[in-house]
């Protein structure tokens, strides 16, 4: 990530919760189809993908990416695509080879397109804290929408609704607690605040 200090990001990869990491000849679209349970219609929101940036092609407005199991592909972007790192916005051209990012992607006729990219970790953390420099916070509320396959749920708190996402490779106890969640449950969670309305889960309290 090209910031004022030109920091690079650690070489770590992850797929969304529930994704199959087995080999295959398919591309990124096949991976997303596996994650979401089947083919998705054109111009539909299909979820999130955590990948390693391999390069940015400004002429064709596409980002070359690499998944954990070695799948390579391109994700399209445009001038509306936002890149957020440590709660600050940067142009897509600030991304560098080796950056580990979480992309919100959708399938369009030309391929996969991202309108939002969250830079997850930098080398300054020494391969340590998930969520980069994000703050560790606690939140309590009522569970609303749950996406078991995509690994997130909405939590209605006194300050509003926040989205709680599962971390990469969570402990089995955390996975079990997540899988037992039902709408209407009252829960308290602890996690990293990676956006004003988003927390990456560390544990259930």
């Amino acid at each position: 990530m090209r910031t004022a200090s030109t920091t690079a990001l650690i070489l770590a990869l992850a797929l969304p919760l529930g994704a199959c990491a087995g080999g295959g000849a398919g591309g990124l679209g096949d991976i997303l189809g596996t994650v979401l349970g089947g083919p998705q219609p054109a111009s539909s929101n299909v979820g999130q993908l955590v990948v390693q940036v391999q390069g940015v092609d400004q002429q064709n407005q596409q980002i070359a990416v690499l998944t954990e199991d070695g799948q390579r592909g391109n994700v399209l972007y445009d001038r509306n695509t936002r890149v957020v790192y440590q709660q600050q916005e940067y142009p897509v051209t600030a991304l560098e080879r080796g950056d580990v990012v979480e992309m919100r992607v959708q399938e369009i006729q030309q391929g996969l397109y991202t309108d939002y990219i969250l830079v997850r970790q930098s080398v300054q953390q020494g391969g340590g804290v998930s969520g980069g420099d994000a703050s560790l916070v606690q939140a309590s509320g009522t569970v609303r929408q749950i996406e078991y396959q995509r690994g997130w749920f909405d939590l209605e708190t006194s300050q509003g609704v926040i989205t709680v996402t599962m971390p990469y490779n969570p402990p089995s106890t955390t996975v079990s607690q997540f899988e037992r969640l039902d709408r209407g449950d009252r829960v308290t969670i602890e996690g990293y605040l990676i956006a004003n309305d988003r927390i990456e889960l560390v544990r259930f309290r």
Side-chain angles (χ1 to χ4, degrees), residues 28-29 32 41-49 60-63 65 73-82 92 102-117:
L28 295 178
L32 289 171
S43 299
S44 66
N45 290 324
V46 295
Q48 290 153 337
L49 191 65
N60 296 308
Q61 290 192 305
Q62 59 187 17
I63 305 165
V65 299
N74 295 310
V75 179
L76 300 168
Y77 72 92
D78 59 24
R79 59 187 178 86
N80 297 315
T81 301
R82 300 171 57 207
V92 175
E102 179 177 347
M103 294 179 167
R104 181 169 65 196
V105 294
Q106 61 181 189
E107 206 169 20
I108 61 175
Q109 290 183 349
Q110 295 82 4
L112 290 181
Y113 163 78
T114 179
D115 65 345
Y116 182 84
I117 301 171

Side-chain angles (χ1 to χ4, degrees), residues 65-139:
V65 299
L66 175 69
T67 68
E68 183 185 37
D69 64 343
Q71 297 273 6
R72 294 180 182 272
N74 295 310
V75 179
L76 300 168
Y77 72 92
D78 59 24
R79 59 187 178 86
N80 297 315
T81 301
R82 300 171 57 207
V83 175
V84 177
Y85 176 52
Q86 296 181 351
Q87 300 186 20
Q88 296 186 38
E89 292 199 19
Y90 296 87
V92 175
T93 53
L95 294 172
E96 292 187 292
R97 181 181 178 88
D99 289 354
V100 177
V101 301
E102 179 177 347
M103 294 179 167
R104 181 169 65 196
V105 294
Q106 61 181 189
E107 206 169 20
I108 61 175
Q109 290 183 349
Q110 295 82 4
L112 290 181
Y113 163 78
T114 179
D115 65 345
Y116 182 84
I117 301 171
L118 176 68
V119 179
R120 293 188 63 139
Q121 292 178 310
S122 84
V123 72
Q124 292 180 348
Q125 281 77 54
V129 179
S130 176
D133 287 337
S135 303
L136 189 63
V137 298
Q138 186 168 294

Side-chain angles (χ1 to χ4, degrees), residues 7-19:
T7 59
L9 295 190
I10 63 171
L11 303 178
L13 292 172
L15 284 174
L17 183 69

